[in-house]
Amino acid sequence: MTIDKMAFNSFEVFDLDEYSSPFLDLLLFCLRLSIHRLSMMASNIIRYLVVMVGAIPLVLSSKPVLQPTPPMGYNNWAALMCGLNETVFVETAQYMIKYGLLDAGYNRINLDDCWSTMSRAANGSMEWDREKFPRGLPWLTNYLKELGFIPGIYTDAGNLSCGGYPGAFGFEALDAQTFADWGFEYVKLDGCNMPTGTEAEYKSVYGRWHDVLEDIRDATGNPMIFSESAPAYFAENANLTDWYSVMNWVPKFGQLARHSRDSLVFNSTLYWPDITGWDSIMFNYGQEVRLSRYQRPGYFNDPDFLNVDHFDYTLDERKSHFALWSSFSAPLIISAWMPNLNSTEIEYLGNMGIIAVDQDPLAAQATLVSQDGTWDVLTKELANGDRLLTILNRGNCTASHSVSFARIGLPDLHMVHVKDLWTGHSTRAFKEVTAQDVPSHGTAIFRLSAPKGRCSSVPTGMIFNTFSLATLTASSGGVSWTNSSAADEQVWQTRSDGTIRALANPSTCLTDLGEGKLGLARCSRRAAQKWDYTYSGNVLSRSSNMCLTEADGGTAILNACLDQVDSQVIALPSGVKIIGS
């Protein structure tokens, strides 16, 4: 008897006649059956490929996780821009120790742009500015490490940095090795002054940096954390396809990526003369909420620095900045003049209850439950089974706001323990949680615990188009895309059985009606009511393999799945299983 190659070309034809036996025949039958089943599984997987471009490498790597929780520390840029020197970093380190910030977890000190000379050395290598750093960068990195900090450095992927200093284009391997030799263990790669500025060029250059940093890790054990700024250069395009494409590959190359604008620099009129500090926070916040599907232990969406001492922020706005970034499990990188921080600022930066949320091992990003123009409600699961609830007051007046357990994703609980993470005070809540007297631009942040064991949660919240920001809305006539209003018709349960149900009527399910039509029908466990969410942001019908789409006029339809198109990239609640992540 012979075994054919069957479904896999790696099988060779060989003769087993002399070994034939009933046992072997049974074994071969089982082998054929197993290969048939694998083939069927492969055919099911293929249907996801069009909406998973670039995702597969994320699940194949066996490398250790270099940065399991988001980095915390300091960077000079937003506060001082090019006004950096050796004294700045020596004093910053000393004051961070004095304030207890190093003990709280802020253990990185990163140099930003303008640290170098205006040209390279004769051999092509970078040189530090000896007036700014008279004892040299190797001395500085050694000094910081002796104190317990991890030093990082800035460079640019293009021909020149954003400040006009030498860029690294064409010098990637030389510069990476130079930085490692000087003692740095973290590289921030900006994206100014690229030769052509295409998405493909950014991917090629950032990919080269990934490769050279990986070589250094393998050769020396230096972790060389890689902070990527590439997405920021596509975030405000009229069409977001390139932004989505960049966001798809940055998690493969590095450990964090700045996805949008810089935080407001101290001299804000240099860049944006017409926006306030609060505008800056809300812009980057508005970009961050679109991207939760990318985040996982080892990779973090970066909404940029914490502006702790900026003159254009109220104290409540600064505290909101910290609470929101922590709710996202975002990097907490302070940019301020450290010697001038006051006791109130030091106190909130050192809030260990909120830092624990930021550093939670799940690394989940809180997602929107609802928005109504005044109140934003966000939630996520925590590693020990607790639930986070964050309530942002975007209005102009102090007010209170209540959120039902069902909206938080806890429909089966009648009581929870509620810890206010600002005050540390714990209470019990029944059926809803109320944030009392939240100031204008302030944020309430709570940790919820079940009376016994873990909170049994259902991923619940808004489903919205990340380009238009239109929200999927249920009605008696079906579903459509409308402006967010925080109505129950816009809050969706995304259940483990693959169904999607509006909180207004959870007995009805989002249903593929065939021929591209979409509606609501009584839940019946049929395939037309089962949906998958992909790494590329598509919501995929299991029955038709078509994707949820926003058509003209806010019509919700199903259409052939396309790659990263504005009408089909959708945000779902935190906790949904993501195919390809």
Side-chain angles (χ1 to χ4, degrees), residues 362-410:
L362 283 185
Q365 181 177 312
T367 53
L368 286 165
V369 173
S370 61
Q371 288 183 311
D372 64 4
T374 298
W375 298 100
D376 281 17
V377 177
L378 304 100
T379 189
K380 71 174 183 179
E381 184 181 7
L382 299 170
N384 71 339
D386 288 354
R387 196 84 183 159
L388 179 75
L389 173 63
T390 302
I391 302 174
L392 166 65
N393 180 3
R394 301 176 74 151
N396 296 321
C397 302
T398 296
S400 302
H401 189 69
S402 297
V403 183
S404 70
F405 286 6
R407 284 181 169 239
I408 303 167
L410 306 174

Side-chain angles (χ1 to χ4, degrees), residues 177-494:
Q177 189 60 59
T178 299
F179 299 153
D181 291 344
W182 288 349
F184 291 101
E185 299 183 14
Y186 179 114
V187 177
K188 173 185 172 181
L189 185 66
D190 216 333
C192 286
N193 301 306
M194 294 285 280
T196 66
T198 64
E199 182 270 331
E201 182 181 62
Y202 273 85
K203 183 177 182 180
S204 175
V205 173
Y206 277 74
R208 284 204 299 272
W209 270 96
H210 166 268
D211 293 345
V212 298
L213 293 176
E214 193 76 349
D215 289 343
I216 291 171
R217 294 178 192 126
D218 292 341
T220 68
N222 183 335
M224 294 300 279
I225 299 303
F226 188 22
S227 172
E228 307 168 85
S229 295
Y233 293 86
F234 299 89
E236 297 181 61
N237 289 357
N239 180 305
L240 292 183
T241 294
D242 282 346
W243 189 48
Y244 299 142
S245 296
V246 176
M247 287 304 308
N248 270 3
W249 53 253
V250 286
K252 176 184 173 183
F253 293 157
Q255 287 68 55
L256 62 156
R258 181 171 64 88
H259 52 64
S260 48
R261 291 179 186 171
D262 288 7
S263 290
L264 200 65
V265 295
F266 199 82
N267 181 12
S268 58
T269 57
L270 182 66
Y271 291 149
W272 309 296
D274 300 322
I275 71 169
T276 67
W278 183 244
D279 293 335
S280 175
I281 294 174
M282 287 293 94
F283 182 87
N284 285 12
Y285 165 88
Q287 301 292 87
E288 177 86 6
V289 296
R290 309 174 193 220
L291 303 173
S292 65
R293 64 189 179 277
Y294 297 113
Q295 188 157 296
R296 66 183 192 280
Y299 169 77
F300 302 92
N301 298 319
D302 182 7
D304 211 32
F305 308 132
L306 296 173
N307 301 103
V308 178
D309 63 348
H310 197 288
F311 64 89
D312 203 30
Y313 296 83
T314 68
L315 176 60
D316 288 320
E317 289 169 349
R318 297 175 196 186
K319 292 174 68 176
S320 283
H321 200 175
F322 173 69
L324 292 170
W325 271 220
S326 296
S327 299
F328 293 141
S329 281
L332 298 181
I333 308 294
I334 301 165
S335 195
W337 177 231
M338 279 291 174
N340 285 351
L341 295 192
N342 62 45
S343 59
T344 302
E345 292 160 345
I346 296 164
E347 180 183 11
Y348 83 70
L349 288 171
N351 183 312
M352 295 309 296
I354 297 177
I355 289 173
V357 167
D358 180 78
Q359 297 290 300
D360 186 77
L362 283 185
Q365 181 177 312
T367 53
L368 286 165
V369 173
S370 61
Q371 288 183 311
D372 64 4
T374 298
W375 298 100
D376 281 17
V377 177
L378 304 100
T379 189
K380 71 174 183 179
E381 184 181 7
L382 299 170
N384 71 339
D386 288 354
R387 196 84 183 159
L388 179 75
L389 173 63
T390 302
I391 302 174
L392 166 65
N393 180 3
R394 301 176 74 151
N396 296 321
C397 302
T398 296
S400 302
H401 189 69
S402 297
V403 183
S404 70
F405 286 6
R407 284 181 169 239
I408 303 167
L410 306 174
D412 298 327
L413 287 180
H414 300 284
M415 185 275 286
V416 296
H417 298 285
V418 180
K419 184 175 183 179
D420 183 331
L421 295 182
W422 285 124
T423 66
H425 182 62
S426 294
T427 58
R428 293 190 299 172
F430 298 87
K431 289 296 185 181
E432 66 179 20
V433 177
T434 299
Q436 297 280 359
D437 299 325
V438 183
S440 170
H441 298 178
T443 297
I445 181 167
F446 303 106
R447 186 167 187 141
L448 314 181
S449 304
K452 295 181 181 179
R454 302 171 63 90
C455 293
S456 179
S457 60
V458 177
T460 303
M462 292 170 58
I463 295 176
F464 64 94
N465 181 323
T466 62
F467 174 76
S468 69
L469 305 182
T471 303
L472 191 66
T473 305
S475 68
S476 58
V479 291
S480 60
W481 299 98
T482 67
N483 293 332
S484 58
S485 64
D488 280 351
E489 287 79 5
Q490 293 185 334
V491 181
W492 298 86
Q493 295 178 335
T494 51

Side-chain angles (χ1 to χ4, degrees), residues 77-146:
W77 182 254
L80 303 173
M81 300 183 73
C82 285
L84 75 173
N85 57 44
E86 181 181 289
T87 301
V88 166
F89 296 101
V90 169
E91 291 192 7
T92 291
Q94 292 170 348
Y95 275 91
M96 289 178 75
I97 292 171
K98 176 183 176 180
Y99 297 154
L101 294 176
L102 175 60
D103 289 340
Y106 296 89
N107 64 349
R108 295 189 179 276
I109 293 183
N110 299 333
L111 287 65
D112 213 278
D113 200 358
C114 313
W115 57 265
S116 74
T117 56
M118 295 301 296
S119 59
R120 291 177 175 270
N123 66 357
S125 64
M126 293 291 284
E127 294 185 301
W128 63 81
D129 185 322
R130 296 182 185 277
E131 291 187 7
K132 294 178 179 178
F133 300 95
R135 285 180 280 194
L137 294 185
W139 176 88
L140 180 61
T141 61
N142 185 65
Y143 174 81
L144 294 175
K145 289 178 181 180
E146 287 180 347

